[in-house]
């Protein structure tokens, strides 16, 4: 009886992390290295406020907005795919309560944690590392990819681990947006 619940939780968690980790680290690198200070001063507090929103609120928003968007998108794909009737019925969704909806909501919920802590780790990299890279002829993007992010790797890994902890702990949102049905993935 527990196997569908465990596999469903694992599936939603993995998909959420596949979405959140690259997006969160890229956003942190943008805020830390590329964004002008006026943008950083506006976006950083917004990201930190998003981390304080309760999971029930995220679940409600996911249920009302994201669920209908997922349903409409899946049904549009099912209508556009030429082929046999069984394929179109397999692609269509009667509701938006699905694992992908839960994974997207969990990714959105964990992004503030990953972005905030990764940005702090990237800001802690000494400026002399960047200057040395630029002095050797590297561009800004080469410096970010080959110097700054590897130097902040331990902080970024800590951010990812805290993000994983948040994803695993958010039961309420997953129950609300996935339909609370133990279906084997």
């Amino acid at each position: 009886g527990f196997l569908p619940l465990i596999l469903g939780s694992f599936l939603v968690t993995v998909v959420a992390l596949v979405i959140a980790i690259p997006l969160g680290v890229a956003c942190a690198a943008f805020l830390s290295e590329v964004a002008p200070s006026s943008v950083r001063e506006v976006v950083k507090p917004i990201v930190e406020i998003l981390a304080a929103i309760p999971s029930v609120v995220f679940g409600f928003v996911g249920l009302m907005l994201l669920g209908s968007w997922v349903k409409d998108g899946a049904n549009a794909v099912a209508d556009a795919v030429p082929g046999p009737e069984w394929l179109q019925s397999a692609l269509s969704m009667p509701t938006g309560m699905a694992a992908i909806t839960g994974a997207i909501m969990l990714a959105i919920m964990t992004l503030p944690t990953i972005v905030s802590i990764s940005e702090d780790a990237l800001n802690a990299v000494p400026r002399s590392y960047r200057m040395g890279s630029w002095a050797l002829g590297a561009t800004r993007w080469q410096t970010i990819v080959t110097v700054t992010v590897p130097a902040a790797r331990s902080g970024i890994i800590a951010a990812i681990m805290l993000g994983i902890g948040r994803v695993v702990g958010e039961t309420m949102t997953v129950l609300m947006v996935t339909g609370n049905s133990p279906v084997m993935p």
Side-chain angles (χ1 to χ4, degrees):
F2 280 115
L3 187 61
L5 296 173
I6 292 170
L7 288 177
S9 296
F10 181 75
L11 173 72
V12 169
T13 300
V14 168
V15 173
L17 292 174
V18 165
I19 295 169
I21 290 171
L23 194 60
V25 173
C27 184
F30 172 75
L31 288 175
S32 174
E33 303 293 325
V34 180
S37 61
S38 59
V39 171
R40 191 176 313 120
E41 289 173 4
V42 171
V43 172
K44 180 75 172 175
I46 291 171
V47 167
E48 295 193 3
I49 287 172
L50 282 175
I53 296 175
S55 60
V56 174
V57 174
F58 274 112
F60 181 73
V61 169
L63 191 62
M64 293 295 129
L65 293 177
L66 186 63
S68 64
W69 291 342
V70 168
K71 180 186 78 162
D72 294 342
N75 291 335
V77 168
D79 292 340
V81 171
E85 183 67 31
W86 65 266
L87 180 62
Q88 291 178 348
S89 66
L91 291 174
S92 65
M93 295 177 73
T95 68
M97 292 190 227
I100 190 67
T101 311
I104 292 170
M105 284 311 301
L106 285 179
I108 291 169
M109 291 175 70
T110 194
L111 271 174
T113 304
I114 294 174
V115 169
S116 182
I117 297 170
S118 294
E119 185 196 5
D120 292 342
L122 289 166
N123 286 333
V125 174
R127 183 138 176 92
S128 61
Y129 288 17
R130 293 175 188 86
M131 293 293 188
S133 176
W134 294 333
L136 291 173
T139 64
R140 177 186 288 189
W141 292 105
Q142 289 170 334
T143 300
I144 292 169
V145 171
T146 61
V147 176
T148 311
V149 170
R153 181 177 35 230
S154 63
I156 292 171
I157 290 172
I160 291 169
M161 296 304 288
L162 287 170
I164 290 171
R166 175 127 193 222
V167 166
V168 170
E170 292 298 344
T171 309
M172 181 58 68
T173 303
V174 175
L175 286 176
M176 288 176 75
V177 275
T178 60
N180 192 17
S181 58
V183 178
M184 186 76 79

